Amino acid sequence: MLEVSVNQSQMSDLTALLREVPKELPRVLVRAINKVGVATRTKVVRAVTRAVNLKQKDIKQKNVRLYKANYRRLAARIGISGRRIGLLTFGARQTK
């Protein structure tokens, strides 16, 4: 059997800690959402580069953008555009 005992001073310390939670919650959420967004962007870029055989840098700069979360908008979004990628990026060269 488990028995827990809490005295009055411990209880007041706990309520003081829990009182701060609502103030810090948005900051924690934004950081967590952005961390997941960065990890997801990395996975997307890696998958695309494997399929197309390009450098990750070329895909990140032109075609994949992360819109991070903030205090007003608690959501991260990854935008993938269909911008053209030049032939030189694929390693093409003129051989006449």
Side-chain angles (χ1 to χ4, degrees), residues 27-81:
R27 182 184 311 172
V28 171
L29 285 175
V30 166
R31 288 178 182 174
I33 291 169
N34 286 335
K35 192 171 185 176
V36 169
V38 169
T40 305
R41 179 184 64 184
T42 301
K43 287 188 177 193
V44 166
V45 168
R46 284 183 183 161
V48 169
T49 54
R50 272 191 227 116
V52 185
N53 197 20
L54 288 174
K55 294 179 183 177
Q56 290 182 13
K57 174 180 79 171
D58 297 329
I59 298 296
K60 270 187 192 176
Q61 286 178 350
K62 295 183 180 181
N63 292 31
V64 179
R65 181 164 181 210
L66 174 64
Y67 299 94
K68 291 187 173 185
N70 56 35
Y71 293 114
R72 282 193 280 159
R73 185 176 46 89
L74 292 175
R77 191 180 68 169
I78 296 177
I80 300 175
S81 66

